[in-house]
Amino acid sequence: MKDKKQMTEEDIKNKFITPAIEQAGWDIKSQVYFEHSFTDGRVIVRGSVTSRGKRKRADYLLMHKSNYPIAIIEAKDNKHGIGSGMQQAIEYAEMLDVPFVYSSNGDAFVEHNRLTGEERTISLTDFPSHDELWKRFVNDGEINKEQRDLMEVPYFYQLGDKTPRYYQRIAINRTIDAIGKGKDRIMLVMATGTGKTYTAFQIIYRLWKAGVKKRILFLADRNILVDQTMINDFKPFEKVMTKVEDRKLDSSYEIYLALYHQLAGDEGNEPFRQFQPDFFDLVVIDEAHRGSAKEASRWRKVLEYFSSPGTTHIGLTATPKETKDASNLAYFGEPIYTYSLKQGIDDGFLAPYKVVRVGLDRDLEGYRPEKGKVDMLGQEIEDREYNIKDFDKNIVIDARTEAVAKRVTEFLKKTDRFAKTIIFCVDIDHAERMRSALVNLNRDLYHKNSKYIMRITGDNPEGKAQLDNFIDRASKYPTIVTTSKLLTTGVDAKTCKLIVLDSNINSMTEFKQIIGRGTRLDPEYGKEYFTIMDFRNVSRLFADPDFDGEPVQVMEFGDKDEIDIPGEEESTNGWDNSKNDGTGDEHLGGEEGSKRVKYRVNDVNVQIVSERVHYYDANGRLITENLIDYTKKNIRNEYATLEAFLRSWNEHEQKHAVLEGLKDHGVLLEALREQEPHLQELDDFDLICHLAYDQPPLTKAERANNVKKRGYIYEYQDIAREVLEMLLEKYMNEGIQEIDGTEVLELKEFQKFGSPMKIVKAFGGKQAYLAALKRLKDEIYVS
């Protein structure tokens, strides 16, 4: 056996760590996951080019049961110390909610118990068995019998079904665990697009299967949410499930889905009173930041009515509502688990975004009418300074609407005219004028199909009828949608690629919900990121710590430290979609019943005066550097000097390994070439050296010609020389990555020389071919 210090990490795992686990009695086939990837790798975006970062991967994940990991092991080669992998292993264990953590270099194990904080070193032969670890977990975690029994209940799974992602598993397990401990109010915070409803289904299924919760109520505030839930995630319940309609309750089912307004009613005569207060064992509240967050809300009465001992309430939300008027935390308590937008993007489960901030001269300078000026309707305009907060609310400048519509149209024409787009406007009147302006600028496509551009607002049945088609991946139309607030929440539009902000949004909850319309990934549809086009500087809220931070309870207190929650007027029609969507969409000319004057002028010019593109970086910040500076910085973060880069380049026989490593750090060279066409003729090596280290570059053609001049290729004869000439030509046209390894010999243009085996034989065998190829690459990069 070769010296342990000379062994690779794989050798150490195969010869020492895996045998130690097996010797401890673990079933390698059913209880141990090897090289377990638990993220998809962050999507990196520069220009219109995307790439995936590295997946997070545990060397070993040891399972108590399926979806209940109990230990993680990080392996290192023997040149490292025993505990060298511990910090990385703890980071992964915290992400995965795993209690026992191990690091090993093949000599021994270092064990970290996350339940007690204790660390110790144990020999290879003393690695604990499954039963020993489980017993310690139960004791150290103070797990009661109810918790243990619930842990044994399996998840729902049928062949071909998806399985929970790691964060969904944690949310499910923590909820089940909390109920086992007797907790009756539970909140889960999960970013839009991370599968809250699927998570809720698995929670409900396991509790229902265990017989702990026999009758369950799932509450939502939109009809479309209930319908989507029934036909998708909750479909396995179809034989025991019903949707409450016409305010009639049928006691013969076990799973009930209902809208708040279907259960609410006049004081003392609410439909929910048809059931006894203890009828439901479990109430799950979707989008819990909305009606149920307000203590004064009549929808809260539904929850308070079904609050008998033993009834559990679970709130699901992407945006906990914490204002002086409404608090999720006051009702549910602190979230037992939070999976944020930043985490979702970093893990590669959510789409990252780039922000295009557009400045209009009138927005930056304001507008003041001359004294005595009248608007299009003959109304004298109040003489004062109007600014961005007034535009489209108190005063309409037609040219401003046209400028926004024109910029959106230009963007779509340059990228994809059928990219699903949502434009958020100030009110319904604004949404209608924006629709009209877009129609005029896109007459060719609108003429072919009038559903290309549509207004979808609470007052418009024709638009709302097309909402499902907008969401449908297979439906081209509607493509561009103007709205006020109807689409801010609860719309699962996976294919949305462009979100336009032309509304004054100050609510962090509303902002998060709007951004959530674009965060779903859909690579099959060609969506790996989305763009936010901001005309109102709303994206300043990205810089607010509350955007992706822990929810903070904000309440007002009276003189005697009693919570004082002011009452709030509610919609009189209870979110009845036939009358109003309940989102606060304003009606033409202002809010319903108001007499606010809105002026309209059509003789004021509006121009775009500034535009900047911002990217989401690895740390969750919007960066504003230009692409060249950003690339240079990231290359030098990885290779501080030219010498360090050249050393790595020369050490790697296959150059793509270096380039892939740089990609993981946000270096996308194709994005640079797309932005700077004059860089097209440089290969990756020269581009890196030129940008990061100010080296004079050579084009691929110049490098290829230099190799020919030096006559190296003519040392070979016949097929070998022709193959090298063809490889050099391929490098000149396509770059160094295209000639790595022997796979290139399988391409069509090499078939005239015979099979890859025959080609390498012409060099004297595979090793001789690889040596010739290495020398060719060395010759290419001779200074």
Side-chain angles (χ1 to χ4, degrees):
M1 181 183 293
K2 63 181 177 182
D3 181 60
K4 190 184 281 189
K5 295 290 184 191
Q6 304 304 314
M7 290 184 180
T8 65
E9 183 180 302
E10 282 302 309
D11 289 336
I12 294 295
K13 288 194 288 189
N14 292 332
K15 296 180 184 298
F16 298 99
I17 299 176
T18 300
I21 297 170
E22 285 185 290
Q23 185 180 330
W26 291 84
D27 187 327
I28 293 297
K29 292 182 179 179
S30 64
Q31 293 181 312
V32 182
Y33 293 169
F34 296 91
E35 302 292 330
H36 177 68
S37 295
F38 56 93
T39 71
D40 278 0
R42 183 171 62 93
V43 178
I44 302 164
V45 183
R46 293 295 173 263
S48 61
V49 178
T50 61
S51 177
R52 284 274 185 178
K54 283 185 179 177
R55 294 181 169 193
K56 288 186 170 67
R57 186 174 64 192
D59 288 333
Y60 297 83
L61 195 63
L62 277 54
M63 311 298 290
H64 163 58
K65 291 179 73 70
S66 176
N67 284 304
Y68 266 102
I70 194 169
I72 191 170
I73 304 172
E74 183 64 27
K76 295 293 180 185
D77 64 40
N78 202 251
K79 294 174 186 174
H80 291 82
I82 301 170
S84 293
M86 182 54 72
Q87 288 189 175
Q88 181 179 331
I90 289 176
E91 178 190 336
Y92 287 177
E94 288 173 347
M95 287 184 70
L96 294 170
D97 222 15
V98 175
F100 298 103
V101 190
Y102 296 89
S103 172
S104 179
N105 66 350
D107 288 338
F109 290 98
V110 175
E111 177 193 80
H112 178 88
N113 184 336
R114 291 184 59 236
L115 300 172
T116 64
E118 179 187 3
E119 277 196 9
R120 62 175 183 151
T121 301
I122 57 175
S123 70
L124 291 176
T125 56
D126 287 333
F127 191 81
S129 68
H130 166 270
D131 291 346
E132 182 184 345
L133 271 191
W134 176 246
K135 185 177 179 180
R136 288 170 59 192
F137 171 68
V138 170
N139 291 335
D140 295 343
E142 299 178 351
I143 308 298
N144 63 37
K145 184 179 184 304
E146 288 76 12
Q147 290 171 279
R148 293 200 303 274
D149 289 345
L150 283 173
M151 285 179 183
E152 300 304 313
V153 181
Y155 286 67
F156 177 85
Y157 180 76
Q158 288 181 333
L159 192 63
D161 279 358
K162 60 185 176 182
T163 55
R165 292 170 174 168
Y166 83 88
Y167 62 85
Q168 294 169 334
R169 171 186 57 76
I170 295 171
I172 297 161
N173 291 349
R174 285 196 184 180
T175 303
I176 299 293
D177 188 57
I179 290 172
K181 288 179 179 175
K183 190 173 174 64
D184 58 8
R185 289 187 182 179
I186 297 166
M187 169 157 279
L188 292 172
V189 178
M190 297 171 66
T192 300
T194 56
K196 290 191 297 295
T197 310
Y198 172 73
T199 301
F201 163 73
Q202 290 287 5
I203 292 168
I204 292 169
Y205 176 81
R206 290 182 61 197
L207 293 169
W208 175 72
K209 196 73 175 174
V212 173
K213 303 296 181 184
K214 298 178 182 177
R215 289 198 183 96
I216 294 107
L217 173 62
F218 183 88
L219 279 172
D221 58 15
R222 292 244 176 111
N223 202 50
I224 190 171
L225 291 177
V226 172
D227 291 342
Q228 285 176 350
T229 299
M230 291 185 73
I231 64 176
N232 295 322
D233 291 317
F234 279 37
K235 186 172 176 56
F237 286 139
E238 59 185 343
K239 292 182 179 178
V240 296
M241 174 175 61
T242 187
K243 175 183 176 182
V244 176
E245 295 184 281
D246 300 323
R247 306 189 179 211
K248 294 179 183 177
L249 299 169
D250 181 345
S251 63
S252 61
Y253 292 90
E254 296 173 64
I255 312 292
Y256 294 76
L257 290 86
L259 301 175
Y260 284 115
H261 77 266
Q262 288 285 359
L263 297 182
D266 297 331
E267 184 69 35
N269 192 34
E270 298 93 342
F272 60 74
R273 297 186 188 277
Q274 296 173 40
F275 287 157
Q276 292 298 312
D278 62 354
F279 184 81
F280 292 112
D281 307 306
L282 174 64
V283 181
V284 179
I285 304 97
D286 194 23
E287 304 292 354
H289 61 280
R290 295 175 71 84
S292 59
K294 299 184 181 74
E295 187 168 346
S297 164
R298 63 197 175 116
W299 299 316
R300 177 68 71 83
K301 294 178 184 177
V302 178
L303 307 185
E304 291 172 345
Y305 181 78
F306 295 114
S307 295
S308 299
T311 300
T312 303
H313 292 177
I314 301 174
L316 306 171
T317 184
T319 52
K321 190 159 190 175
E322 302 306 322
T323 70
K324 66 180 182 179
D325 299 321
S327 172
N328 288 114
L329 301 189
Y331 186 81
F332 291 102
E334 293 288 337
I336 64 168
Y337 185 61
T338 297
Y339 188 72
S340 68
L341 173 68
K342 180 179 181 298
Q343 287 172 286
I345 292 174
D346 190 53
D347 288 343
F349 297 129
L350 293 180
Y353 47 82
K354 60 180 180 180
V355 179
V356 180
R357 285 179 176 159
V358 184
L360 302 174
D361 55 359
R362 286 297 162 205
D363 294 352
L364 301 173
E365 300 164 10
Y367 167 68
R368 183 169 185 176
E370 57 269 26
K371 192 171 183 179
K373 181 178 177 64
V374 295
D375 74 351
M376 291 170 61
L377 302 176
Q379 303 174 103
E380 184 172 337
I381 304 173
E382 181 186 350
D383 181 14
R384 68 175 180 86
E385 187 78 29
Y386 293 90
N387 58 35
I388 196 168
K389 292 181 180 178
D390 294 302
F391 297 147
D392 299 297
K393 179 180 181 182
N394 299 316
I395 187 168
V396 173
I397 299 176
D398 281 348
R400 189 190 178 285
T401 307
E402 291 162 8
V404 172
K406 183 179 179 183
R407 183 65 191 94
V408 171
T409 300
E410 288 172 351
F411 179 86
L412 292 173
K413 285 183 175 179
K414 185 178 178 182
T415 53
D416 175 8
R417 294 189 75 184
F418 285 96
K420 298 276 187 170
T421 300
I422 305 176
I423 303 175
F424 289 96
C425 302
V426 168
D427 57 23
I428 289 175
D429 173 43
H430 185 201
E432 175 55 30
R433 287 184 289 102
M434 186 64 70
R435 184 203 65 81
S436 179
L438 287 162
V439 167
N440 287 332
L441 292 164
N442 295 272
R443 286 193 294 271
D444 55 340
L445 294 182
Y446 189 80
H447 178 70
K448 291 178 181 177
N449 193 313
S450 62
K451 291 183 176 62
Y452 177 69
I453 302 164
M454 294 198 75
R455 169 167 63 93
I456 300 182
T457 49
D459 71 326
N460 185 260
E462 294 80 14
K464 286 198 294 184
Q466 292 299 318
L467 187 53
D468 284 347
N469 288 329
F470 180 72
I471 293 168
D472 187 357
R473 298 167 78 240
S475 178
K476 209 179 224 184
Y477 306 103
T479 303
I480 304 172
V481 165
T482 67
T483 190
S484 170
K485 293 180 183 292
L486 182 60
L487 302 183
T488 58
T489 184
V491 176
D492 187 5
K494 286 181 70 174
T495 56
C496 180
K497 292 183 178 180
L498 176 63
I499 290 175
V500 179
L501 303 174
D502 197 23
S503 178
N504 297 314
I505 299 161
N506 295 305
S507 160
M508 183 59 72
T509 297
E510 184 180 355
F511 178 60
K512 283 185 178 182
Q513 289 290 336
I514 286 173
I515 298 308
R517 299 314 101 213
T519 54
R520 288 173 172 83
L521 277 166
D522 196 351
E524 290 181 21
Y525 180 78
K527 181 191 169 184
E528 293 186 299
Y529 69 95
F530 68 105
T531 302
I532 301 164
M533 188 172 286
D534 182 9
F535 290 89
R536 304 256 179 172
N537 198 26
V538 176
S539 53
R540 70 189 184 283
L541 294 172
F542 281 123
D544 191 313
D546 286 341
F547 176 70
D548 206 21
E550 294 296 318
V552 177
Q553 183 170 354
V554 181
M555 303 289 284
E556 286 191 353
F557 291 86
D559 296 335
K560 297 181 181 179
D561 289 335
E562 292 181 357
I563 295 178
D564 175 26
I565 305 178
E568 186 170 306
E569 292 184 10
E570 297 178 21
S571 167
T572 58
N573 38 44
W575 297 63
D576 185 341
N577 288 335
S578 66
K579 298 177 182 177
N580 187 303
D581 62 15
T583 59
D585 246 334
E586 293 183 58
H587 287 254
L588 291 169
E591 297 179 5
E592 186 176 22
S594 74
K595 295 182 179 179
R596 173 168 53 81
V597 175
K598 182 185 286 191
Y599 307 110
R600 182 170 179 177
V601 295
N602 63 353
D603 57 355
V604 176
N605 291 324
V606 177
Q607 300 292 327
I608 292 175
V609 293
S610 66
E611 184 169 309
R612 298 189 75 180
V613 178
H614 306 253
Y615 293 96
Y616 184 92
D617 76 358
N619 297 312
R621 298 186 300 263
L622 282 179
I623 58 167
T624 57
E625 305 171 277
N626 69 51
L627 195 51
I628 289 177
D629 291 342
Y630 180 80
T631 303
K632 179 176 180 178
K633 183 181 77 173
N634 281 354
I635 294 171
R636 299 196 71 149
N637 281 344
E638 185 69 3
Y639 301 107
T641 64
L642 175 62
E643 291 71 25
F645 170 70
L646 292 176
R647 186 165 55 250
S648 177
W649 184 264
N650 291 328
E651 285 174 355
H652 285 82
E653 239 177 83
Q654 295 201 341
K655 308 306 180 186
H656 76 268
V658 177
L659 300 171
E660 288 299 317
L662 287 172
K663 268 188 184 181
D664 290 339
H665 291 83
V667 177
L668 300 185
L669 300 178
E670 286 310 308
L672 268 174
R673 293 190 177 97
E674 182 183 87
Q675 182 176 299
E676 307 286 341
H678 68 280
L679 300 176
Q680 292 282 354
E681 296 307 310
L682 303 185
D683 82 348
D684 294 338
F685 174 85
D686 278 286
L687 190 49
I688 291 167
C689 291
H690 177 56
L691 288 178
Y693 310 107
D694 299 317
Q695 296 298 301
L698 293 174
T699 66
K700 295 192 291 290
E702 288 171 331
R703 287 195 175 278
N705 286 331
N706 287 343
V707 172
K708 292 176 182 177
K709 288 176 185 177
R710 286 193 292 272
Y712 147 71
I713 289 178
Y714 299 102
E715 295 176 13
Y716 293 84
Q717 303 295 320
D718 304 324
I719 290 178
R721 186 173 72 190
E722 288 186 61
V723 167
L724 288 174
E725 286 175 337
M726 189 172 286
L727 288 169
L728 189 60
E729 188 79 14
K730 195 165 188 63
Y731 157 76
M732 187 173 70
N733 294 327
E734 300 178 42
I736 196 69
Q737 293 188 73
E738 299 305 315
I739 65 172
D740 272 342
T742 58
E743 293 82 2
V744 64
L745 302 179
E746 298 174 7
L747 296 177
K748 188 176 181 180
E749 54 261 48
F750 290 92
Q751 289 178 1
K752 65 180 181 180
F753 302 118
S755 67
M757 188 177 294
K758 182 178 179 181
I759 294 173
V760 298
K761 192 174 181 181
F763 285 85
K766 183 176 180 180
Q767 293 307 314
Y769 167 76
L770 292 175
L773 180 61
K774 182 180 185 306
R775 187 177 171 192
L776 175 63
K777 288 188 279 190
D778 290 342
E779 288 286 333
I780 287 171
Y781 293 110
V782 168
S783 299

